Amino acid sequence: TTRDGYRGDALNRLGDTAYADRRFEDALVRYNQSIALGGATQHYAAYKRAITLGIVGQVSEKQQALQQIVRGGVGGYQEEAHYELARTYIAQERYTDGAAELERFVQRYPSSSHRAQAYADMGLAYLNMGDKQRSLAAYNRVVESAPQSAEAREAMQGIRDIYVSEGNVDG
C-alpha cells in the first residue's frame, strides 16, 4: 500500500541518518524494518543493510546478503550489489571467487559505470592468482574501454610491471 511505501521510505531515511552518524547498529535495525515491510523500498534497504554489515565486520553475512540481491533478480540494486560482492571477495583475498564474479559482472552489465574499474580489479585478481596472461588481458580491456581514465593509468602500470617481471622490458 501507499502507506507502507511511505513508512518504508521513512525507515530508510532513518537508517541513512543513523549510518551517516556512524550508528551502524541503529541503521541495521531501520533497514531490517524496511525490508520486513516489503514493497519497493525494501530493495534499497537490502543493499544498504549489506554494506552496513560489512562495516560492522559481519563480512560473511554481507556476502550472503549481496548474493541474495544478485540472485534475486528484482529491484534496482543488482548491479551495485554484484560489483560490491566481487570487491568483497577480492578484499578477502579470495581472488578466484572475485575474478569469477567480476567476469559475470562485466558480461551482465556491459554499460556499467564500474566496467573499467571491474576490469582493473580483475587484472589484479588474476595477477594475484599467478595468471599473468589473463591479468594482461583484463588490464588491456581497461585501457581499451576507458583510455583516458585513472583506471587506465593504473592498468598501464600493471601491464608494465608484468612485462618487466618477465624480463620483457621492451614489451
Side-chain angles (χ1 to χ4, degrees):
T1 66
T2 303
R3 183 175 171 201
D4 285 345
Y6 289 139
R7 186 159 187 236
D9 186 51
L11 288 166
N12 285 343
R13 289 172 190 257
L14 288 169
D16 289 347
T17 301
Y19 183 97
D21 287 342
R22 304 188 61 75
R23 293 181 291 115
F24 300 117
E25 295 299 332
D26 291 342
L28 285 170
V29 168
R30 298 303 183 184
Y31 295 140
N32 283 330
Q33 290 171 333
S34 179
I35 292 166
L37 281 177
T41 61
Q42 73 178 318
H43 305 295
Y44 173 81
Y47 177 71
K48 288 296 288 191
R49 175 183 174 271
I51 298 302
T52 307
L53 286 168
I55 290 171
V56 299
Q58 296 179 27
V59 179
S60 171
E61 292 84 352
K62 173 187 179 181
Q63 289 172 341
Q64 290 172 1
L66 291 170
Q67 288 168 348
Q68 282 182 316
I69 294 167
V70 170
R71 286 162 183 73
V74 293
Y77 293 89
Q78 290 92 17
E79 180 180 334
E80 295 296 326
H82 202 160
Y83 182 60
E84 184 65 26
L85 179 60
R87 288 173 41 108
T88 302
Y89 288 140
I90 290 173
Q92 287 186 296
E93 299 180 6
R94 291 175 56 186
Y95 300 117
T96 302
D97 293 332
E101 209 60 58
L102 286 165
E103 291 281 3
R104 285 189 286 275
F105 173 82
V106 296
Q107 282 183 337
R108 189 170 180 188
Y109 303 103
S111 302
S112 174
S113 62
H114 300 298
R115 186 174 176 86
Q117 186 60 51
Y119 280 128
D121 293 341
M122 199 184 304
L124 178 64
Y126 283 129
L127 186 60
N128 281 305
M129 293 164 53
D131 191 336
K132 291 179 181 177
Q133 292 309 310
R134 289 175 91 178
S135 179
L136 279 172
Y139 284 144
N140 281 324
R141 284 188 249 165
V142 175
V143 175
E144 290 167 7
S145 66
Q148 301 301 317
S149 68
E151 291 88 357
R153 284 188 294 280
E154 292 172 21
M156 290 299 292
Q157 182 63 44
I159 291 168
R160 182 185 162 283
D161 292 346
I162 291 170
Y163 280 124
V164 169
S165 75
E166 292 183 336
N168 183 358
V169 178
D170 294 330

